[in-house]
Structure formats: C-alpha cells, structure tokens
C-alpha cells in the first residue's frame, strides 16, 4: 500500500473489556502505546496508592489488578460492586460453575451499563470524535465468555467486534473429560461446563467479526467446534522482557553441568494450576518413568487434584 493511501483508511478507537488481569493487560497496553485505546473496562483496578491496595495488602488477589503502563489511560473498574458480588457469592456458597456464570453475567451487565451512560457523554472517546464522523471505526474487544452482552450492544451501534478466545472451547473440554475418565483418582472436583455456558459462547462467536487465538492447536479446536475458519486469526503469545525504565534487564546467565547427577539433578518446574486440565497426569507419568534418573520435578501452584499426598516420591516435590 502506498503511503498516500493511508489517509483514506478509517481510524480506529478500541474499547477493551477484560475480566481479570489476563496476560497482564497486554492488549490494552499495546493499543495505548499507539494511541488507539479509547478505554479499558475491567472488574477491578487497584493502583498501589489507592485505599483498597493499602487495606488489602500484598497478599490480596487485587495486588496484580493494575499496570504502570496504563496509569494514564482511561480505565473504568467496578471495585465496590465486585467486592459486594464476591461477598454475596460467598454467603450463598455457590458451586464453581454457578459462580462463574453469575460473575460473567455481572461483569457484562456492568460493561453495557457503562457503555450506555458514557457513550452519551463521550467520556471515553477521543475529543475530535463525533458520531457523525464517517472516517472513524469503533472496535469493541472482549475476552471469551464475557463478551455476549457487550457484543450485542456494540452490534446495535454498528461497531466492529473482536473476540479474544482464551482456550479451544468445547474441544478442550472433550479432551479434559477423556483425561478425567482415564485418571478418575486424580480428577478432583472437575465438572463439565453447563449447556448454557457453551450456548452463550456460540452466540459470542456469531457476533464476533474476528476471533483471535494464540496457537494453531486452538484454531483447529475451534474449527472442530464449528467456528468458521475464516473468522479466526492466530496471534502467538509474545515473550516480554523485564524492563526497568527504558532498558531491558540483562538475561540471567545460568551455568549447566556437562552431566546431571544426584548431587546436581536436572530440575523441571511446573508452574500454575495443578490439575488434569493442565496435563499434570502426563507429567506424573514422566516423573515415574524417570524416578531412577537425576531429575527433579517441582510443581508450584494451587493443587486441584485428589490424593495429592499419595503421588509424591523422591523425585517429585509439590
């Protein structure tokens, strides 16, 4: 494309809806850097200097609900409403899936309410933007499973919609179900999603102009789930260096022995949720196969399998 053609292209302003701190707010951060972020709408936003941050302390789950790169961005959060929701959900002792569905509905209602009230005021739009500007495109970006109501509203206004799919959808659930049947003694409290969860998701996919996944595996899973292939784009997860100011931290240099021994074994770290969905059963199989080799497996994270105390051995640490 010639440079002179660029002026004929419609400008875009993005509204990002994000429940949680997934990917450390990578999408709104990238958009903010290039001046295309209209607003980030999220469930909780807790700057270090805020009263909530000081009250909750470093052990709170809210401690990561902020990013310094977005300190000057337009951010709308629902801190008080979220705290109230979690208190009521705890009092009702909701099971896992009812709580997930309730939280997703709560967030979508808050987002749509925000859109309706602030669109009239133009609070998150650029100062130069008016609804009569033809050479301008609004884009609503949302992660999967919390996008349905915001997408419905966006489509009623003629906006573009982008769905960021966080997993391969029903295809992944099928794989986990097979793994649960294969390893029932480790299954823990896993249950498949209720039918309405997938019904809502399919509506999200229909309303999405584009769907972004992070791997070919996810793309193939969605296609097997009857999502149109022409809607799907792959954007791989990117490695991000730790930066101090404008300079990247030097990479940690490690020294490795020519041969691993019992005194200096090979150490394998599994970091994250310890459950069948993340492949822990296969890792345990590998650990058992290598039990007589100089290999240590370290598993760090919330344990979501049953009989965890019975699976440890000298080469495995939970």
């Amino acid at each position: 494309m010639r440079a002179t053609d660029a002026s004929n292209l419609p400008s875009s302003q993005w509204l990002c809806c994000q429940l949680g701190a997934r990917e450390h707010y990578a999408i709104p951060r990238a958009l903010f850097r290039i001046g295309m972020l209209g607003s980030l709408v999220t469930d909780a936003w807790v700057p270090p200097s805020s009263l909530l941050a000081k009250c909750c302390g470093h052990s709170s789950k809210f401690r990561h609900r902020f990013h310094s790169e977005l300190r000057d961005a337009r951010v709308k959060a629902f801190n008080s409403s979220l705290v109230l929701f979690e208190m009521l959900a705890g009092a009702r002792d909701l099971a896992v899936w009812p709580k997930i569905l309730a939280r997703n509905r709560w967030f979508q209602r808050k987002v749509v309410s925000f859109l309706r009230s602030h669109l009239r005021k133009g609070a998150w739009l650029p100062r130069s933007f008016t609804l009569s500007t033809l050479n301008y495109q609004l884009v609503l970006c949302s992660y999967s499973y919390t996008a349905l109501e915001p997408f419905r509203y966006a489509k009623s206004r003629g906006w573009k919609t982008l769905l960021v799919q966080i997993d391969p959808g029903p295809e992944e659930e099928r794989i986990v179900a097979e793994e649960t049947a294969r390893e029932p003694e480790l299954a823990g409290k896993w249950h498949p999603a209720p039918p309405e969860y997938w019904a809502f998701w399919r509506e999200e996919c229909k309303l999405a102009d584009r769907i972004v996944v992070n791997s070919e595996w996810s793309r193939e899973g969605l296609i097997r789930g009857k999502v149109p292939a022409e809607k799907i784009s792959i954007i791989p997860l990117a490695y991000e260096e730790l930066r101090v100011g404008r300079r990247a931290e030097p990479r940690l240099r490690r020294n490795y022995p020519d041969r691993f021994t019992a005194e200096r074994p090979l150490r394998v770290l599994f970091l994250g949720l310890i459950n069948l969905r993340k492949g822990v059963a296969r890792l345990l199989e590998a650990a058992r196969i290598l039990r007589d080799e100089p290999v240590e497996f370290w598993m760090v994270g919330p344990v979501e399998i049953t009989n965890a105390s019975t699976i440890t051995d000298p080469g495995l640490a939970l």
Side-chain angles (χ1 to χ4, degrees):
M1 178 180 292
R2 295 173 303 175
T4 54
D5 293 334
S7 60
N8 297 323
L9 293 176
S11 300
S12 296
Q13 196 76 9
W14 291 57
L15 176 71
C16 293
C17 305
Q18 182 166 339
L19 177 63
R22 181 173 292 274
E23 298 176 331
H24 303 290
Y25 306 101
I27 294 176
R29 284 163 51 206
L31 291 168
F32 185 66
R33 290 183 197 129
I34 58 176
M36 294 177 65
L37 179 66
S39 186
L40 165 63
V41 186
T42 187
D43 56 332
W45 190 251
V46 188
S49 60
S50 67
L51 179 62
L52 184 57
K54 294 176 181 178
C55 292
C56 294
H58 295 292
S59 61
S60 169
K61 65 180 180 180
F62 290 124
R63 69 186 184 277
H64 297 306
R65 298 302 185 90
F66 177 77
H67 201 288
S68 60
E69 288 186 27
L70 294 170
R71 66 169 67 88
D72 297 323
R74 293 185 181 98
V75 179
K76 174 61 180 178
F78 313 107
N79 293 357
S80 299
S81 181
L82 175 62
V83 171
L84 179 60
F85 170 85
E86 295 295 343
M87 289 176 59
L88 292 175
R92 294 169 60 190
D93 195 24
L94 293 178
V96 173
W97 278 113
K99 187 174 182 179
I100 290 174
L101 291 171
R103 186 186 292 111
N104 289 351
R105 287 192 295 267
W106 164 81
F107 182 65
Q108 292 177 74
R109 287 195 300 267
K110 299 299 288 187
V111 170
V112 172
S113 177
F114 167 78
L115 294 178
R116 285 174 176 156
S117 62
H118 283 67
L119 179 63
R120 290 192 296 270
K121 303 174 185 176
W124 56 268
L125 299 175
R127 293 183 180 88
S128 60
F129 177 77
T130 64
L131 293 179
S132 61
T133 304
L134 297 178
N135 203 37
Y136 210 98
Q137 179 63 64
L138 290 174
V139 182
L140 180 65
C141 172
S142 179
Y143 284 88
S144 52
Y145 312 118
T146 59
L148 181 55
E149 294 304 325
F151 275 9
R152 284 173 174 167
Y153 182 81
K155 288 312 221 179
S156 74
R157 309 293 305 192
W159 303 350
K160 293 295 184 181
T161 51
L162 175 70
L163 182 67
V164 184
Q165 182 65 32
I166 65 175
D167 56 31
E171 180 67 12
E172 183 192 37
E173 183 176 75
R174 181 191 64 78
I175 295 172
V176 177
E178 291 179 354
E179 192 74 352
T180 299
R182 193 179 76 92
E183 301 282 354
E185 69 280 3
L186 300 177
K189 297 181 180 180
W190 183 84
H191 296 285
E196 59 264 37
Y197 183 79
W198 296 120
F200 295 155
W201 170 75
R202 292 193 181 281
E203 286 299 314
E204 291 178 348
C205 293
K206 290 179 182 178
L207 291 170
D209 291 302
R210 300 294 296 180
I211 300 172
V212 170
V213 297
N214 61 25
S215 68
E216 180 62 32
W217 177 67
S218 291
R219 178 180 178 275
E220 292 174 356
L222 293 191
I223 293 173
R224 283 194 289 271
K226 309 302 182 185
V227 176
E230 61 272 14
K231 277 192 174 187
I232 306 172
S233 298
I234 301 174
I235 301 180
L237 291 176
Y239 170 75
E240 201 169 23
E241 288 185 316
L242 177 64
R243 305 189 72 84
V244 178
R246 295 187 177 182
R247 301 179 63 182
E249 282 284 281
R251 293 191 178 187
L252 179 65
R253 295 192 176 187
R254 298 182 181 275
N255 295 318
Y256 298 98
D258 294 332
R259 181 185 296 273
F260 291 105
T261 64
E263 291 72 29
R264 174 55 175 94
L266 170 67
R267 299 184 180 95
V268 179
L269 173 64
F270 180 98
L271 181 63
L273 295 176
I274 301 173
N275 58 27
L276 292 182
R277 181 172 178 263
K278 298 297 185 179
V280 70
R282 308 301 173 125
L283 182 65
L284 293 174
E285 287 180 6
R288 294 187 183 103
I289 292 172
L290 298 172
R291 68 168 63 243
D292 296 325
E293 301 296 330
V295 183
E296 291 182 356
F297 291 84
W298 290 78
M299 305 168 70
V300 181
V303 178
E304 297 182 351
I305 56 176
T306 52
N307 303 316
S309 61
T310 66
I311 61 174
T312 58
D313 60 46
L316 183 66
L318 280 175

